[in-house]
Amino acid sequence: MYIRSLNILESYLLVFRLRNFLLGLNVRKKTVSFSSMPSDRKINSTAACMAFMMEGCEMKKVRSNSRMYNRYFLLDPDMHWLRWEPSKKDSEKAKLEIKGIKEVRLGKKTPVLRSNGLSDQFPDECAFSIIYGDNYESLDLVASTADVVSTWVMGLRYLVSYGRHTVDMVEPRHIDLFRATQIIKGLNPGMKESRIELKFKELQKAKDQYGEAINMDTFVEAYCELCTRPEIFFLLVQFSSNKEYLDSKDLMLFVDVEQGVESVTEDMCRDIVQKFEPSAEGRERAYLSIDGFTHYLLSSECHIFDPQHKRVCQDMTQPLSHYYINSSHNASLLEDHFWGSSDISSYIRALRMGCRSIEVIVWDGPDNEPVVYVGSSVASHLAFSKVLDIINQYAFESSEYPLIICLVTHCCIPQQRVMAQHMKKILGDKLFNEPPNKEENYLPSPEKLKGKILIKGKRLPPNCTDTEGDVTDEEEGLEMSRRVGSVQFRDFEISKREQKYWEICSFNEVDANRFANEFPEESVCYNKRFLSRVYPTPMRIDASNMNPQDFWKCGCQIVAMNFQTPGLMMDLNLGWFRQNGNCGYVMRPAIMREEVSYFSANARDSLPGVSAQLLHIKIISGQNLPKPRGSAAKGDVVEPYIYVEIHGIPADCAEQRTKTVSQNGDNPIFDESFDFQINLPELAVLRFVVLDDDYIGDEFIGQYTIPFECLQPGYRHVPLQSLTGEFLPNTTLFVHVAITNRRGGGKAHKRGLSVRKGRKAREYTTTKTTGIKVVDELFRASTQPLREATDLRENVQNAMVSFKELCGLSPAANMKQCILTVSTWLMNSERALRVTVDLGETYPTMEAHGPVPELLRKVLIAYDMMIQTSRTLIESADVVYSKLTQAQRAGLDFHEDLHRIGAKEGLKGRKLQKAMESYAWNITVLKVRWTEHDKYPYNGAIYISPV
């Protein structure tokens, strides 16, 4: 079939000439589509939104006494008044003038809706509040569905901000159906042609227009409904001060306040407009239309992954044992152990994916040439020399940092000598063969080993005879290992005494799991100095993968994965190693690297010396979700839902899911929020999984896995990947991310976000008794400064939460959003209110001149309290910090002799071990890490809008 190609520039010009009818003029064309409405009614324009409000609907009105009353709410036809009925009051009193509305808040954001357990009776997304009058009173409402709330909030915000505009008439013109469809698809590549054609037919039928000719008015209406995403339009309306677009100042606010970009300038925002605004008029006048704003939010600049992590961004000068290393198991296999065949392309694929530890299993081959194959795949063996050629060619294509070849040798002595010759000849200068420096205590750094290939294998003693040379893999027992001099792990105490830092132990996953569960603290300490490799049990004949997090949490650096097997475990592995430029090396958490520190791999609550974080994720919508590949379900419709998963230490592992969206499944609106406490952020991974809800069995649509440290705050798009790791074209999730400091104590699901603990209820971190008198006396003196440090931080955080809540914002909000909210109140007030901010002082003050509404008075008091607690923290921090560091340094003086001192006081066996653990706990607790945010909690976070 002949397909006529379209000039994309011509298409843009046509569409944006038509969209000029909409910019700031045409209420009827402003799209506000939602997924569902009562009686299957769809709201697809501002006009439809207003019509719904004029017809009215029943909602619950919440009184200050916490009682709720059913009332019928509607908008007057002249759009000047909001009314409700029935009411015992005079009907003239049961109304609210639109121009008196100061703000419309989405969710439970007023004291009335938060009080007396009301919040448990209805979900957050079904509530909203109208703040009105000079005294900032609130009308608190609860609707039957989130869609009803969205319609009222959108409509009221529109009326408050912009009022009503006349409708310009468009001179009717025509375009053929095929061309109209191709134009829209060309601008929205992920959209199905069938959906576009169906929309044209629906609109033509409604207007009694039939045939292949599409009226221009119909084309514009179809384009608006199909291509305007309501959730982005809703966001634009919130930040726009110029009707239906963002000027450079509006954009500055959004990029600064919501996206968290530092040092934003007007020039930067003009550059964004020039880059993403498709219309010539918009670029000339320096504004983003809804289409330009959508393009910007879909761009890499608003990707959820922090771009600074796309390059090597970690310190690469620490010992090799301080890094996790991307590792492949059975790299030659294409499939599983039983049926899989060996193929050279598997090595290339693994190396290109960032693998830095690759396994090569070598056997005796014909003509005295060693060969490589796995298990029963002898029929598809590879020449060892050919494998070395490929490794030599691709070793440093994706990373310049060292590559470890894990040799598993089943060869006789003559063929081992051939192996050695091949390695020297083929790898040449890349082969690292320097003898270990016995004066050192740790392996060299990745930086020092750049461009080098290290060989991990069992080395034969010089006097070895041919009959002793059958070197086996890790499964073949201790006796043979002793004969050929390799290192065999026996227990942690023996390793501490006898193992050399350059010697590596390999662990079967079963043994490694046992050590992690039975000796979690010892496992972490062992891996501070030595490299350890964990490989899958031979029982995994299907080449399935173990969970790498089970071994990363106890410090194991090399967790060998079957790269040929996709799924959750490989998603975690590949996602994890993206965070350092995908160079194959990721630095382990500080608490696992420091010589004296306490960390248990099985920790199930907050950790000493680590600042826990709260992660707030809002799943807003999905775009162009495809039908699962190979789906057995009939039809093209998907009914998606999303799992949000946290993987990390046991205390952090959690998952929550959204509801299933049964209408508009390929572009669903979810609008659901989730909160997670992250106790060890450096080891946490966030994973989004999208599934199709089907009665036959839920099927996989896509996923994306990202380390916690790589998350960007604000409104972000998440690209989805297929089961095998390919990015799905034009398929994304739209989310909002916020990260705040932890507050309160106890379990995360019980504490909640807005809990403020008084001094009596606070849980203070304390030191532990070692049983060694002189040591315990030293640590006991640190009890008071530890309590002072906790109080200073908790007081500031509590004051900040109070200020945020009085501003009608959630605890996830930042200070810029709070100040912007107060500024907006003042500018929109009909009464002459004057509030000044003095930035000349060390601690900025906010002061009212003359009488102000009660709510604003409380906000100013809360602001002052926040400033005062911050001032106390700043002025006390150095003294408290000095006390804690002095105690910590004094404690470290006992480190070298602690074992001897403990034994002298009669401690031995498990009691002595317990004393050592308690000592490490105390040192870790005292390693207070004051960050700039802790010491200066509002530093760089105050945005003052002109008042």
Side-chain angles (χ1 to χ4, degrees):
M1 184 177 71
Y2 171 71
I3 300 295
R4 182 180 175 187
S5 63
L6 289 172
N7 181 311
I8 194 68
L9 180 58
E10 176 190 349
S11 301
Y12 270 128
L13 289 174
L14 171 61
V15 170
F16 288 103
R17 188 165 65 248
L18 295 170
R19 283 199 68 85
N20 283 341
F21 295 119
L22 312 180
L23 291 176
L25 297 174
N26 194 341
V27 174
R28 182 170 57 87
K29 295 298 190 293
K30 185 183 279 188
T31 300
V32 204
S33 298
F34 302 107
S35 57
S36 63
M37 287 297 293
S39 306
D40 297 324
R41 178 171 180 177
K42 185 177 182 182
I43 302 297
N44 57 18
S45 68
T46 303
C49 185
M50 298 298 165
F52 178 83
M53 294 164 66
M54 288 178 191
E55 290 178 17
C57 68
E58 190 175 85
M59 293 187 284
K60 294 182 185 297
K61 180 182 177 185
V62 185
R63 289 282 190 86
S64 57
N65 60 7
S66 298
R67 296 187 65 181
M68 294 191 288
Y69 303 87
N70 289 330
R71 295 287 183 263
Y72 198 85
F73 289 82
L74 69 163
L75 179 68
D76 260 8
D78 63 5
M79 302 187 195
H80 287 165
W81 296 90
L82 170 65
R83 298 182 183 273
W84 54 93
E85 54 185 30
S87 173
K88 293 181 181 178
K89 294 182 179 179
D90 180 0
S91 60
E92 284 302 305
K93 292 183 179 180
K95 65 179 183 179
L96 182 62
E97 192 170 13
I98 298 298
K99 70 177 184 180
I101 296 177
K102 307 297 184 186
E103 180 189 356
V104 184
R105 294 182 186 174
L106 191 62
K108 293 174 276 193
K109 301 286 178 57
T110 64
V112 171
L113 291 178
R114 289 196 189 102
S115 64
N116 300 329
L118 270 180
S119 59
D120 298 331
Q121 298 183 28
F122 47 85
D124 188 73
E125 60 267 21
C126 287
F128 71 103
S129 300
I130 301 169
I131 310 301
Y132 64 94
D134 289 339
N135 291 321
Y136 289 82
E137 299 174 70
S138 67
L139 173 61
D140 301 289
L141 303 173
V142 179
S144 57
T145 69
D147 287 332
V148 172
V149 171
S150 297
T151 303
W152 278 95
V153 170
M154 173 66 80
L156 289 171
R157 283 179 174 173
Y158 177 81
L159 289 172
V160 170
S161 300
Y162 310 132
R164 294 169 292 131
H165 301 281
T166 58
V167 179
D168 280 6
M169 299 303 295
V170 182
E171 182 183 349
R173 295 164 61 189
H174 293 82
I175 185 173
D176 65 84
L177 176 61
F178 172 78
R179 183 170 175 76
T181 301
Q182 293 303 307
I183 289 175
I184 291 180
K185 182 167 176 59
L187 299 175
N188 297 270
M191 193 171 294
K192 298 174 184 175
E193 289 186 23
S194 58
R195 184 183 174 206
I196 302 171
E197 292 176 359
L198 181 61
K199 175 55 63 179
F200 280 130
K201 291 176 181 177
E202 285 178 357
L203 294 174
Q204 283 184 308
K205 183 178 180 180
K207 299 176 181 180
D208 290 328
Q209 299 171 354
Y210 300 95
E212 295 293 308
I214 305 297
N215 181 281
M216 282 292 105
D217 188 60
T218 302
F219 177 87
V220 173
E221 193 168 347
Y223 176 84
C224 291
E225 289 197 25
L226 290 168
C227 303
T228 303
R229 287 170 49 186
E231 70 277 23
I232 291 182
F233 181 74
F234 187 49
L235 192 57
L236 181 143
V237 168
Q238 287 181 279
F239 279 84
S240 170
S241 59
N242 295 287
K243 300 187 177 69
E244 297 185 16
Y245 55 83
L246 298 174
D247 63 24
S248 55
K249 290 184 178 178
D250 297 332
L251 190 55
M252 276 185 69
L253 273 181
F254 177 77
V255 174
D256 183 9
V257 174
E258 285 296 338
Q259 303 300 82
V261 178
E262 296 180 356
S263 305
V264 182
T265 65
E266 213 164 333
D267 286 341
M268 287 171 57
C269 293
R270 289 194 188 99
D271 289 341
I272 291 174
V273 170
Q274 293 302 312
K275 189 173 181 180
F276 298 107
E277 174 54 43
S279 71
E281 180 184 352
R283 293 193 298 272
E284 184 179 340
R285 294 172 55 189
Y287 67 71
L288 277 184
S289 66
I290 180 61
D291 301 278
F293 190 41
T294 303
H295 292 169
Y296 168 62
L297 288 174
L298 280 167
S299 73
S300 59
E301 295 189 24
C302 292
H303 195 292
I304 193 172
F305 190 92
D306 189 338
Q308 74 171 354
H309 289 274
K310 292 183 178 180
R311 58 184 182 276
V312 175
C313 56
Q314 296 180 346
D315 178 11
M316 302 302 287
T317 63
Q318 298 199 25
L320 211 61
S321 60
H322 287 186
Y323 299 85
Y324 297 114
I325 303 173
N326 197 359
S327 176
S328 168
H329 179 63
N330 288 340
S332 64
L333 277 186
L334 284 175
E335 300 170 48
D336 59 46
H337 295 203
F338 191 78
W339 296 104
S341 58
S342 297
D343 190 276
I344 203 73
S345 65
S346 298
Y347 286 102
I348 299 173
R349 181 172 178 267
L351 290 169
R352 282 180 166 170
M353 292 171 72
C355 175
R356 294 288 86 194
S357 172
I358 200 160
E359 186 180 54
V360 180
I361 303 176
V362 193
W363 304 79
D364 286 337
D367 303 322
N368 203 35
E369 280 292 333
V371 293
V372 175
Y373 63 86
V374 178
S376 60
S377 64
V378 64
S380 58
H381 63 255
L382 307 168
F384 178 66
S385 59
K386 179 64 174 176
V387 171
L388 286 182
D389 279 333
I390 289 297
I391 290 176
N392 183 56
Q393 183 179 347
Y394 292 94
F396 302 106
E397 182 178 290
S398 66
S399 173
E400 59 185 343
Y401 293 101
L403 173 67
I404 301 171
I405 298 179
C406 298
L407 285 180
V408 179
T409 310
H410 299 272
C411 296
C412 62
I413 290 295
Q415 293 211 16
Q416 288 184 51
R417 292 192 177 109
V418 173
M419 287 173 59
Q421 292 169 4
H422 284 323
M423 285 189 286
K424 290 178 182 178
K425 180 180 179 182
I426 296 170
L427 302 180
D429 292 341
K430 294 176 184 174
L431 194 62
F432 183 78
N433 53 18
E434 293 179 16
N437 184 348
K438 295 184 180 181
E439 300 299 318
E440 300 287 341
N441 292 313
Y442 291 93
L443 288 164
S445 69
E447 184 67 29
K448 187 174 181 180
L449 294 170
K450 263 185 183 178
K452 292 297 182 181
I453 296 176
L454 286 66
I455 304 295
K456 172 197 172 296
K458 296 179 179 178
R459 188 171 183 177
L460 294 172
N463 59 351
C464 176
T465 64
D466 286 7
T467 56
E468 292 178 315
D470 187 17
V471 183
T472 61
D473 66 11
E474 294 92 344
E475 295 297 317
E476 298 214 20
L478 177 62
E479 200 56 43
M480 179 61 74
S481 299
R482 283 176 176 165
R483 279 214 324 257
V484 298
S486 62
V487 178
Q488 179 75 23
F489 181 85
R490 281 176 281 177
D491 64 44
F492 292 108
E493 193 57 41
I494 293 174
S495 291
K496 187 176 181 180
R497 292 197 311 268
E498 301 179 6
Q499 188 173 340
K500 309 297 189 296
Y501 72 84
W502 62 83
E503 295 174 335
I504 301 175
C505 289
S506 289
F507 300 86
N508 179 297
E509 69 170 289
V510 175
D511 292 331
N513 251 320
R514 180 170 60 84
F515 291 136
N517 291 323
E518 295 179 11
F519 309 99
E521 295 88 356
E522 291 91 336
S523 296
V524 173
C525 288
Y526 172 85
N527 287 309
K528 289 179 182 179
R529 187 181 179 200
F530 305 113
L531 277 179
S532 61
R533 179 177 181 268
V534 181
Y535 57 92
T537 171
M539 297 300 290
R540 293 183 181 271
I541 59 172
D542 59 351
S544 59
N545 275 309
M546 51 194 171
N547 187 340
Q549 285 274 6
D550 290 342
F551 309 103
W552 291 338
K553 71 180 183 182
C554 55
C556 292
Q557 300 90 347
I558 305 174
V559 182
M561 305 291 288
N562 289 303
F563 271 51
Q564 74 274 23
T565 307
L568 165 62
M569 305 315 173
M570 270 308 292
D571 293 343
L572 293 175
N573 189 76
L574 296 176
W576 177 252
F577 283 103
R578 285 193 189 112
Q579 66 183 290
N580 193 27
N582 203 34
C583 74
Y585 287 83
V586 168
M587 188 179 289
R588 298 191 303 150
I591 200 171
M592 293 187 183
R593 304 191 313 266
E594 294 164 345
E595 186 176 356
V596 183
S597 63
Y598 177 86
F599 173 71
S600 172
N602 293 330
R604 297 192 176 275
D605 206 342
S606 56
L607 303 170
V610 178
S611 178
Q613 303 288 304
L614 283 172
L615 172 63
H616 315 259
I617 291 282
K618 183 176 184 179
I619 307 294
I620 302 171
S621 62
Q623 292 75 49
N624 305 312
L625 301 183
K627 192 70 178 171
R629 186 176 297 178
S631 174
K634 295 181 179 179
D636 294 328
V637 178
V638 291
E639 297 189 339
Y641 65 93
I642 300 171
Y643 266 108
V644 184
E645 304 170 347
I646 301 293
H647 299 266
I649 62 172
D652 293 342
C653 291
E655 64 178 26
Q656 298 190 57
R657 64 156 286 181
T658 68
K659 63 181 180 293
T660 297
V661 175
S662 56
Q663 297 181 8
N664 198 27
D666 53 348
N667 290 281
I669 299 290
F670 295 98
D671 205 26
E672 292 188 59
S673 298
F674 306 108
D675 300 312
F676 300 93
Q677 177 168 313
I678 311 296
N679 294 284
L680 185 56
E682 290 175 276
L683 200 59
V685 174
L686 171 66
R687 184 170 184 256
F688 300 92
V689 188
V690 186
L691 299 171
D692 185 13
D693 197 342
D694 189 79
Y695 69 94
I696 299 174
D698 297 347
E699 296 183 281
F700 177 88
I701 293 176
Q703 68 84 30
Y704 186 72
T705 305
I706 178 172
F708 179 85
E709 298 285 281
C710 299
L711 288 171
Q712 289 208 95
Y715 289 92
R716 304 289 172 181
H717 276 93
V718 181
L720 293 180
Q721 295 173 274
S722 70
L723 188 64
T724 52
E726 296 88 5
F727 282 99
L728 298 169
N730 310 301
T731 303
T732 56
L733 299 178
F734 188 44
V735 304
H736 183 267
V737 178
I739 298 170
T740 56
N741 289 331
R742 179 185 67 85
R743 294 183 312 286
K747 299 297 181 183
H749 68 276
K750 292 183 179 179
R751 181 178 58 255
L753 289 179
S754 60
V755 172
R756 293 182 293 278
K757 288 193 173 260
R759 292 191 178 219
K760 292 183 179 179
R762 279 182 189 159
E763 297 173 5
Y764 294 95
T765 302
T766 58
T767 56
K768 294 184 177 181
T769 302
T770 64
I772 304 173
K773 185 177 179 181
V774 63
V775 175
D776 288 339
E777 286 178 354
L778 169 68
F779 287 132
R780 199 174 295 119
S782 65
T783 300
Q784 186 56 34
L786 277 174
R787 291 179 67 90
E788 289 176 15
T790 300
D791 286 337
L792 286 170
R793 181 165 180 164
E794 293 288 327
N795 289 346
V796 171
Q797 290 177 342
N798 289 347
M800 292 174 77
V801 171
S802 295
F803 180 58
K804 292 174 185 179
E805 290 183 348
L806 282 168
C807 290
L809 300 173
S810 73
N814 57 49
M815 284 298 104
K816 293 178 182 179
Q817 292 167 328
C818 294
I819 301 300
L820 178 62
T821 298
V822 175
S823 175
T824 303
W825 289 353
L826 296 172
M827 287 189 291
N828 292 341
S829 175
E830 294 179 5
R831 185 196 299 181
L833 298 176
R834 185 164 175 257
V835 175
T836 59
V837 178
D838 187 353
L839 296 177
E841 299 292 330
T842 305
Y843 304 98
T845 60
M846 191 184 298
E847 184 180 357
H849 298 272
V852 294
E854 178 65 14
L855 177 59
L856 184 56
R857 187 185 68 82
K858 290 180 179 179
V859 167
L860 296 176
I861 291 173
Y863 175 84
D864 184 63
M865 178 60 71
M866 181 183 67
I867 294 297
Q868 293 307 317
T869 55
S870 299
R871 177 176 184 170
T872 302
L873 183 150
I874 292 169
E875 294 177 352
S876 307
D878 289 338
V879 174
V880 176
Y881 178 74
S882 177
K883 291 178 182 177
L884 294 174
T885 52
Q886 285 176 14
Q888 183 246 334
R889 287 171 188 154
L892 283 173
D893 290 341
F894 291 103
H895 174 54
E896 298 293 335
D897 292 331
L898 190 65
H899 196 280
R900 181 185 59 81
I901 297 172
K904 188 176 179 181
E905 293 204 11
L907 300 178
K908 58 183 179 180
R910 182 57 190 156
K911 286 187 177 180
L912 182 58
Q913 180 64 33
K914 190 68 177 175
M916 302 288 282
E917 290 175 6
S918 296
Y919 168 80
W921 166 280
N922 295 343
I923 292 295
T924 305
V925 165
L926 293 174
K927 285 182 180 176
V928 181
R929 297 177 177 88
W930 289 97
T931 66
E932 285 301 303
H933 179 76
D934 294 327
K935 191 173 177 183
Y936 301 99
Y938 59 84
N939 184 36
I942 298 292
Y943 175 85
I944 304 299
S945 182
V947 177

